Amino acid sequence: MVPRLRHMPGSDDTRVDFARAESELLARWPENKVAPDLGRISALMSLLGEPQLSAPVIHIAGTNGKTSTARIIESLMREHGLKTGLFTSPSLESITERVQIDGEPVSPERFAETYSDIAPLLTLLDEQAEAVNGPPVTMFEAITALAFACFADAPVDVMIIECGMGGAWDATNVVEPAVVVVTPIGLDHTDYLGDSLTEIATEKAGIIKQGSLAAFARQEPEAAAVLMARCAELGIIPVREGVEFAVVNRSLAVGGQMLTVQGLGGEYDDLYLPLHGEHQSANAALALAAVELFFDSNPNSKLDPDVVRGGFGSATSPGRLERVRTSPTVIIDSAHNPHGARAVTTALAESFDFSKLVAVVAVLDGKDARGILTALEPGFDSIVVTRNSSPRSMATDDIAQLALDVFGEDRVFATPNLAEAIEVAVGLVDDVAEWGSAAVVALGSVITAADVRRMMKPRKLRVPDDARELTFDLLPDEDDEGDVVSNALGDRLGDLDDDLPRGYRDGIEDDEDDDDGDDEEGGARQR
């Protein structure tokens, strides 16, 4: 009699605890549902013992470049020997990416343990809010509190905290920052922050506080006026890109660029930055200025150039012109507004020598899709419009109509299925890839970049924590019939079927059944 394959429960409770923590967090008010009030997060900080005050903070707001700037600051701080806590949003693949200590996401175990510590307090505040018909603690407020608790428990020497959507009413704005950083401000989230640069800049300027130092990226005049007025009100003299600090020289290098930056303490040369684009060089200069402010650097006290080189050289920014596949090249970027799309288009033309580029674009409802498409049009030969995994993803027909207006009928393809959109784009560049260089670039939303990143990432086989998870029952039930091992293995292969490459899966099905059926609904069509 053939033994039967048995799957037994594992002994690792961490996965269960982490899954529960993540599920409960995601069940809260989503990040796109804003409740502009610091009362809940302030109460939560008080109940936790004010963990946000346990280490000095560099606080970062802006519209574009926040995450990259935050990550470069973190790298520079770590290179200076400090234990760092980095909080960014949103995440690409795992919620743990938002909370990092010394450049690494916290472990699922630490994440789950910290959540279990704060969960009763979340419930308490939810009940208090319900009693007065107020909103509960939001998802972003809860994970912000979790991050501060992790950092205080570590403990870290410095926190690098990226704002979420806004500034003044952002859940992160319970800190007392040593340094405030404002990246370029543009029109985004206009339904919440206002539909003018002045209104949006006013919201961002709310993180500038008495006693803090401030570093500003180059801004549009409207935004700059608001930031400078806020500084004047508080008696702060900020440092500004193009005035007190700047990139004075840059050249292309393999995998990135070489920079010379005029900093507050002097000139820093031979800086290798493994990120592409002029916008990333500006982010790096801003990050350096923030770190110089933190260490009180000046012409008489310059940072160690070798330490700066080390910090720049080890900087990473996943989801920003990140190559996730070769042959042909597939690149992802988190650009989700016209400013970001223009930066991507410019960086691709400058840093790469592709003879053909095809964009795969999925945008969330409410975003300036026409502006994004207009920014992409000069740099791409064709575009495939689609949807990403978010329920807020713009309908394919809606974005396709905009794409037709911008790109013209011969250059637009559409499918509601993102995986199929990638296949269509790959097919469009395959002929060129044989003799030249071509690439597919997926962008339009952080979610689009995350979805494609997951598609391109090889799935790792999990090694059982307990050998008993895969055991053979040598005494199967008498009523079992057939080759039970084969059936069990067939069931497992069936579970993996969706993870097989489409061509490989179709080849198997063709071998078993030669019927010529129609493709499933939703196939790509040229517009």
Side-chain angles (χ1 to χ4, degrees), residues 10 122 278 290 377 412 419:
L122 298 177
E278 184 178 7
E377 190 277 332
V412 177

Side-chain angles (χ1 to χ4, degrees), residues 5 483-495:
L5 190 67
D483 188 345
V484 290
V485 172
S486 297
N487 291 341
L489 290 174
D491 290 342
R492 293 298 300 129
L493 288 172
D495 293 340

Side-chain angles (χ1 to χ4, degrees), residues 46-278:
S46 178
L47 291 170
L48 287 170
E50 308 294 353
Q52 82 282 13
L53 305 180
S54 63
V57 171
I58 297 178
H59 201 191
I60 305 159
T63 303
N64 292 288
K66 287 183 299 179
T67 300
S68 292
T69 301
R71 292 180 69 93
I72 298 170
I73 290 173
E74 187 280 330
S75 185
L76 286 165
M77 286 299 200
R78 190 156 29 91
E79 195 70 19
H80 275 88
L82 299 185
K83 186 170 186 175
T84 60
L86 173 66
F87 179 64
T88 61
S89 63
S91 48
L92 279 172
E93 292 189 37
S94 169
I95 198 170
T96 61
E97 296 168 16
R98 298 176 182 233
V99 186
Q100 300 195 18
I101 295 176
D102 272 347
E104 295 292 335
V106 296
S107 66
E109 181 178 13
R110 172 174 266 182
F111 190 97
E113 287 176 352
T114 307
Y115 177 77
S116 70
D117 291 340
I118 70 171
L121 305 180
L122 298 177
T123 301
L124 173 65
L125 292 174
D126 287 344
E127 291 171 350
Q128 292 177 353
E130 185 178 9
V132 295
N133 293 320
V137 177
T138 68
M139 180 270 190
F140 187 73
E141 289 168 341
I143 196 168
T144 299
L146 186 150
F148 286 135
C150 281
F151 298 156
D153 183 63
V156 300
D157 299 318
V158 60
M159 302 182 199
I160 301 97
I161 306 296
E162 176 191 346
C163 281
M165 187 182 300
W169 297 109
D170 192 80
T172 63
N173 201 27
V174 289
V175 299
E176 295 178 3
V179 179
V180 166
V181 178
V182 182
T183 67
I185 295 173
L187 294 175
D188 202 2
H189 302 295
T190 54
D191 46 347
Y192 293 108
L193 304 180
D195 56 10
S196 71
L197 282 178
T198 297
E199 291 176 290
I200 295 173
T202 299
E203 172 68 19
K204 307 287 186 184
I207 73 167
I208 305 172
K209 296 180 180 177
Q210 190 80 47
S212 62
L213 302 171
F216 300 154
R218 198 181 306 274
Q219 304 287 347
E220 294 293 332
E222 287 178 65
V226 172
L227 297 177
M228 294 305 292
R230 174 67 174 170
C231 287
E233 176 188 341
L234 298 175
I236 296 171
I237 301 176
V239 297
R240 298 153 295 171
E241 181 188 2
V243 182
E244 285 80 18
F245 66 93
V247 177
V248 296
N249 190 41
R250 55 186 294 267
S251 58
L252 298 183
V254 176
Q257 52 192 309
M258 295 298 299
L259 306 177
T260 299
V261 176
Q262 177 60 52
L264 309 180
E267 190 172 278
Y268 301 84
D269 59 8
D270 294 327
L271 304 175
Y272 173 68
L273 182 70
L275 303 172
H276 298 289
E278 184 178 7

Side-chain angles (χ1 to χ4, degrees), residues 146-409:
L146 186 150
F148 286 135
C150 281
F151 298 156
D153 183 63
V156 300
D157 299 318
V158 60
M159 302 182 199
I160 301 97
I161 306 296
E162 176 191 346
C163 281
M165 187 182 300
W169 297 109
D170 192 80
T172 63
N173 201 27
V174 289
V175 299
E176 295 178 3
V179 179
V180 166
V181 178
V182 182
T183 67
I185 295 173
L187 294 175
D188 202 2
H189 302 295
T190 54
D191 46 347
Y192 293 108
L193 304 180
D195 56 10
S196 71
L197 282 178
T198 297
E199 291 176 290
I200 295 173
T202 299
E203 172 68 19
K204 307 287 186 184
I207 73 167
I208 305 172
K209 296 180 180 177
Q210 190 80 47
S212 62
L213 302 171
F216 300 154
R218 198 181 306 274
Q219 304 287 347
E220 294 293 332
E222 287 178 65
V226 172
L227 297 177
M228 294 305 292
R230 174 67 174 170
C231 287
E233 176 188 341
L234 298 175
I236 296 171
I237 301 176
V239 297
R240 298 153 295 171
E241 181 188 2
V243 182
E244 285 80 18
F245 66 93
V247 177
V248 296
N249 190 41
R250 55 186 294 267
S251 58
L252 298 183
V254 176
Q257 52 192 309
M258 295 298 299
L259 306 177
T260 299
V261 176
Q262 177 60 52
L264 309 180
E267 190 172 278
Y268 301 84
D269 59 8
D270 294 327
L271 304 175
Y272 173 68
L273 182 70
L275 303 172
H276 298 289
E278 184 178 7
H279 61 297
Q280 293 290 17
S281 71
N283 291 337
L286 179 61
L288 177 58
V291 172
E292 287 187 297
L293 287 176
F294 185 88
F295 287 112
D296 193 25
S297 179
N298 57 65
N300 298 318
S301 181
K302 182 179 177 181
L303 298 181
D304 185 337
D306 286 335
V307 173
V308 174
R309 292 184 188 109
F312 273 27
S314 59
T316 62
S317 194
R320 277 73 183 175
L321 284 179
E322 179 185 6
R323 190 190 302 252
V324 293
R325 172 179 163 174
T326 57
S327 300
T329 296
V330 176
I331 293 171
I332 60 170
D333 196 273
S334 299
H336 55 277
N337 54 42
H339 183 280
R342 281 192 295 273
V344 167
T345 303
T346 301
L348 286 168
E350 174 194 79
S351 302
F352 300 91
D353 188 27
F354 295 122
S355 54
K356 186 173 185 178
L357 283 171
V358 176
V360 173
V361 179
V363 178
L364 298 186
D365 269 329
K367 295 294 184 179
D368 184 3
R370 181 181 292 276
I372 293 171
L373 296 171
T374 301
L376 297 176
E377 190 277 332
F380 288 85
D381 298 274
S382 302
I383 183 171
V384 186
V385 293
T386 185
R387 302 188 78 238
N388 58 39
S389 61
S390 170
R392 295 192 296 127
S393 186
M394 182 178 289
T396 307
D397 285 344
D398 292 343
I399 191 171
Q401 188 57 57
L402 295 174
L404 287 171
D405 293 344
V406 175
F407 278 77
E409 184 175 355

